[in-house]
Amino acid sequence: MPATKNTKKELSKEELIEKILKLKKKKNAVILAHSYQDSEVQLVADFIGDSLELSKKAAATEADIIVFCGVDFMAESAKILSPDKKVLLPEINAKCPMAAMCDTEGLRELKAKYPKAVVISYINSSAEVKAESDCICTSANAVKIVDHYKDKKIIFTPDKNLGYYCSMTTGADMILWNGYCYVHDEFSVGDIFIAKHENPDCLLLVHPESPKEVLEKADFIGSTSQIVKFVEENIENMNEKAGVIIGTEIEIAKNLQLRFPSKRIYPLADHAVCVQMKSTELYKVYNSLLNEEYEIFVEEEIRKKALKALNKMLELSK
Ligand code: SF4
């Protein structure tokens, strides 16, 4: 194991990018960046997107190393799908607070109380929680998965807002874990009032991790990639007064503004920043490749159970 090196102050952004790209090739690594990552980090990525989509793409490569620029549960999902690859998380403290809100002990107690209930867990959960679940869902397919099980009682973890959205859409009888993503949960009717007041002809697009009073006022509800797709398909046809207000992590609105500079694209609120996502910086990506840090492990028994729940989702979302 080489001595750990830290390059924070030694190299410029351009030097770091050059070195990362060389090292990536030399070590046969693939770099994944979640779409909430800083644009600087996205520059060195082979793939940019949602967590599951990224893990699936990495699994299909011949790479020996996966560097996941995201948070802990994403790197675990990559490991679940690619057990023979070395999976690295460049910032060891990049942990999703929502995933941490659901613990296996509490979930087991709930399962014991409702032994006939089906457990559906959002992909934004730990490997242990996934292993306790019957099926996984993403924000893009949650409604479809819940709808499949709607004749049974459902325990849904960890996001109460996404769970609420699914129960309202499908009519399913659901017990919602009391977790939430602080980035989306902090959106309020006040944010909408201000954004709509400034841009009255813009459509409001929101992520289903947002609270119900925000969802109720949305013109379109969708996952990050569904919001991006909606903009790609509609923005060119919008007149000069029309546009979109983006109710998800701020990086999405910033990227869309760069891609469509002449169009009216606004974030719902400037406070929608995921601090944990933004804690991955370029020099940490370089250190990660250089020192092969921080390796993510998932116990084999847990990995197999979590994979079963993930595969169930893939089967149902075909
Ligand atoms: S945006 Fe929300 S769900 Fe995603 S990593 Fe940050 S806290 Fe977790």
Side-chain angles (χ1 to χ4, degrees):
M1 179 87 180
T4 299
K5 292 176 190 165
N6 189 313
T7 57
K8 184 170 186 179
K9 297 201 174 91
E10 293 163 15
L11 301 169
S12 68
K13 176 182 155 188
E14 291 69 28
E15 287 170 326
L16 275 173
I17 291 175
E18 198 187 323
K19 283 183 175 290
I20 288 169
L21 297 180
K22 271 192 191 155
L23 206 48
K24 183 175 75 167
K25 205 168 174 192
K26 187 174 160 201
K27 295 205 172 187
N28 190 27
V30 63
I31 300 180
L32 312 178
H34 189 273
S35 44
Y36 296 170
Q37 290 288 309
D38 261 334
S39 52
E40 199 167 278
V41 171
Q42 294 191 15
L43 282 176
V44 294
D46 295 284
F47 302 110
I48 301 164
D50 282 352
S51 60
L52 181 66
E53 171 198 343
L54 290 174
S55 293
K56 280 163 72 182
K57 281 184 177 162
T61 69
E62 296 293 320
D64 296 313
I65 295 176
I66 298 172
V67 180
F68 209 130
C69 304
V71 290
D72 52 354
F73 75 80
M74 298 177 182
E76 282 184 350
S77 296
K79 188 69 185 176
I80 290 166
L81 291 182
S82 301
D84 299 330
K85 295 185 186 353
K86 188 180 247 189
V87 178
L88 304 174
L89 187 67
E91 167 54 67
I92 193 64
N93 293 312
K95 297 178 193 295
C96 168
M98 175 161 75
M101 285 174 193
C102 188
D103 63 298
T104 44
E105 246 175 58
L107 181 53
R108 280 187 199 135
E109 276 172 25
L110 204 53
K111 284 170 67 172
K113 202 168 163 192
Y114 300 98
K116 289 189 178 159
V118 171
V119 180
I120 303 177
S121 289
Y122 189 21
I123 187 101
N124 299 21
S125 56
S126 67
E128 286 83 1
V129 165
K130 286 187 179 77
E132 289 289 329
S133 307
D134 297 295
C135 190
I136 306 303
C137 70
T138 65
S139 48
N141 66 23
V143 169
K144 192 171 182 183
I145 300 292
V146 167
D147 194 58
H148 175 82
Y149 290 108
K150 74 173 173 205
D151 295 336
K152 299 184 176 177
K153 197 172 207 42
I154 295 170
I155 296 172
F156 189 89
T157 83
D159 187 8
K160 61 177 181 182
N161 292 326
L162 179 63
Y164 168 80
Y165 173 60
C166 292
S167 71
M168 288 311 289
T169 313
T170 62
D173 177 15
M174 297 170 76
I175 299 163
L176 308 180
W177 193 269
N178 193 24
Y180 57 90
C181 160
Y182 73 95
V183 178
H184 295 89
D185 195 60
E186 281 174 13
F187 285 138
S188 67
V189 173
D191 290 329
I192 298 175
F193 179 79
I194 295 168
K196 280 277 193 182
H197 180 71
E198 290 168 358
N199 310 289
D201 296 317
C202 287
L203 295 175
L204 176 63
L205 320 181
V206 301
H207 194 285
E209 288 173 17
S210 308
K212 63 178 175 182
E213 59 275 16
V214 169
L215 296 178
E216 279 160 12
K217 294 200 177 313
D219 297 298
F220 176 83
I221 300 170
S223 66
T224 302
S225 37
Q226 286 167 336
I227 288 176
V228 170
K229 191 163 175 251
F230 181 96
V231 175
E232 287 170 345
E233 287 175 356
N234 295 288
I235 200 86
E236 295 295 357
N237 298 326
M238 288 184 178
N239 67 39
E240 56 190 27
K241 274 185 161 183
V244 289
I245 298 166
I246 308 288
T248 187
E249 215 272 349
I250 202 150
E251 210 62 39
I252 300 301
K254 284 191 196 167
N255 279 337
L256 288 168
Q257 284 167 341
L258 285 175
R259 290 178 59 196
F260 304 100
S262 64
K263 297 294 178 183
R264 293 165 70 96
I265 298 172
Y266 308 100
L268 173 55
D270 289 341
H271 59 68
V273 176
C274 180
V275 175
Q276 289 72 24
M277 283 281 194
K278 303 289 195 258
S279 65
T280 302
E281 296 171 66
L282 211 47
Y283 80 90
K284 292 179 188 173
V285 180
Y286 179 56
N287 285 344
S288 179
L289 269 171
L290 187 66
N291 303 314
E292 300 190 12
E293 65 192 19
Y294 297 90
E295 188 168 0
I296 299 300
F297 299 96
V298 177
E299 224 179 273
E300 187 55 13
E301 199 187 331
I302 289 174
R303 192 192 71 80
K304 280 186 184 157
K305 285 184 186 166
L307 183 63
K308 195 174 164 205
L310 261 172
N311 281 338
K312 187 69 193 168
M313 174 195 75
L314 296 176
E315 179 198 321
L316 295 179
S317 52
K318 269 181 201 158

